[in-house]
C-alpha cells in the first residue's frame, strides 16, 4: 500500500507544469541611448499584483524646511503621516491628478494621515516655502528598485512570462506621469527601455 501511494505521489509531481525562473534585467536609457542612473523602476505581473497590499506605515516629515524623504514610494491604499518637525508652520498640498489634498497651516502632526488611493506621481509643495518640493510615487506593485550608474536594475528569481514596468526619474518635468513598457521575459534576456520624456537627456 505504501509503495502504491509513493508511486501516485511521484506521478502527480511529474504531471505538474514546471515553472521556469529567471532574473528580469532592465537597462534604462535616455532618448539618445545613454544609460540613466537613479531611475525608479516598478515591476508588474499578475502574480506580483495579486500579492500587493498597502504599507503598514509611512511618513514624510517636514524637517529643516524640506520634505524628508524627498521621494517616498508607497503601494496603493497606503496612509502617509506628515509630521512637522520644524519650528515654523507648513502648509502642505498637492494638485496632482493621482492625489489632490491640502494640510493647511499647521505645527506638529496632523491627526489624520493622507491615504494615497490611486496609482500615479504625486508632487508635493508647501504654500509657505516655495523651495520645498517632494514626490510620492504610488503604484500597485511593491516590487521596485533604482537603476545603478550604468542604468541597470535586476529583479532576481522572477518567473518567465509577460511583465509591465513603470519608470520615473526625478528630472521628469512637473506633472509628468510614469513611462510604461511591456515585454515578455525569457531566461538570459536583457530589456532596454528608452525614455521619451523630456528633461532626462544626458
Amino acid at each position: 500500500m505504501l509503495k502504491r501511494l509513493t508511486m501516485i505521489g511521484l506521478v502527480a509531481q511529474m504531471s505538474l507544469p514546471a515553472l521556469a525562473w529567471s532574473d528580469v534585467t532592465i537597462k534604462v536609457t535616455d532618448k539618445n541611448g545613454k544609460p540613466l542612473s537613479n531611475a525608479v523602476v516598478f515591476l508588474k505581473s499578475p502574480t506580483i499584483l495579486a500579492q500587493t497590499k498597502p504599507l503598514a506605515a509611512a511618513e514624510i516629515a517636514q524637517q529643516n524646511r524640506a520634505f524628508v524623504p524627498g521621494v517616498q514610494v508607497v503601494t496603493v491604499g497606503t496612509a502617509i503621516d506628515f509630521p512637522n518637525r520644524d519650528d515654523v508652520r507648513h502648509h502642505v498640498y498637492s494638485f496632482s491628478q493621482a492625489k489632490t489634498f491640502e494640510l493647511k497651516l499647521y505645527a506638529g502632526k496632523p491627526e489624520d494621515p493622507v491615504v494615497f488611493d490611486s496609482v500615479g506621481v504625486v508632487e508635493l509643495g508647501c504654500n509657505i516655502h516655495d523651495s520645498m518640493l517632494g514626490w510620492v510615487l504610488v503604484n500597485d506593485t511593491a516590487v521596485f528598485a533604482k537603476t545603478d550608474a550604468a542604468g541597470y536594475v535586476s529583479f532576481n528569481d522572477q518567473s518567465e512570462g509577460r511583465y509591465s514596468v513603470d519608470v520615473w526619474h526625478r528630472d521628469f518635468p512637473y506633472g509628468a506621469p510614469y513611462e510604461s513598457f511591456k515585454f515578455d521575459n525569457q531566461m538570459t534576456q536583457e530589456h532596454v527601455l528608452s525614455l521619451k520624456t523630456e528633461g532626462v537627456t544626458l
Side-chain angles (χ1 to χ4, degrees):
M1 182 65 176
L2 179 60
K3 183 176 181 181
R4 182 185 178 192
L5 290 175
T6 301
M7 290 299 297
I8 292 174
L10 288 173
V11 171
Q13 291 180 26
M14 292 174 63
S15 64
L16 292 175
L19 290 176
W21 300 93
S22 65
D23 294 343
V24 177
T25 301
I26 294 170
K27 182 179 182 180
V28 178
T29 72
D30 68 7
K31 64 181 181 181
N32 297 323
K34 295 182 179 180
L36 193 62
S37 62
N38 294 317
V40 183
V41 180
F42 297 89
L43 185 70
K44 304 183 185 188
S45 72
T47 300
I48 292 173
L49 296 181
Q51 298 172 348
T52 302
K53 298 178 180 179
L55 301 182
E59 77 165 29
I60 299 177
Q62 294 97 67
Q63 189 170 333
N64 298 322
R65 300 190 183 188
F67 289 110
V68 181
V71 179
Q72 178 69 281
V73 179
V74 300
T75 49
V76 171
T78 297
I80 300 182
D81 286 309
F82 286 84
N84 180 359
R85 300 195 175 111
D86 283 332
D87 56 4
V88 296
R89 293 191 293 175
H90 292 295
H91 184 150
V92 178
Y93 70 92
S94 175
F95 297 133
S96 299
Q97 183 176 353
K99 186 66 179 183
T100 299
F101 72 96
E102 188 174 17
L103 299 174
K104 293 186 177 181
L105 208 59
Y106 72 97
K109 179 181 174 182
E111 182 177 351
D112 297 321
V114 179
V115 178
F116 290 78
D117 43 16
S118 297
V119 172
V121 179
V122 180
E123 289 95 356
L124 304 175
C126 175
N127 207 29
I128 307 301
H129 307 100
D130 292 340
S131 63
M132 290 178 60
L133 297 174
W135 293 265
V136 182
L137 306 184
V138 189
N139 216 294
D140 49 4
T141 174
V143 181
F144 72 94
K146 286 171 56 175
T147 55
D148 61 19
Y152 280 97
V153 63
S154 290
F155 300 94
N156 298 328
D157 301 324
Q158 302 294 325
S159 60
E160 294 185 352
R162 188 72 169 169
Y163 284 89
S164 61
V165 298
D166 290 335
V167 182
W168 178 85
H169 195 275
R170 191 163 183 159
D171 289 339
F172 278 10
Y174 185 87
Y178 298 124
E179 280 205 42
S180 298
F181 304 83
K182 293 184 178 181
F183 56 80
D184 290 311
N185 189 62
Q186 305 296 329
M187 294 185 68
T188 67
Q189 186 176 5
E190 176 182 304
H191 308 280
V192 179
L193 309 180
S194 179
L195 301 185
K196 304 302 182 186
T197 302
E198 297 295 332
V200 293
T201 302
L202 299 178

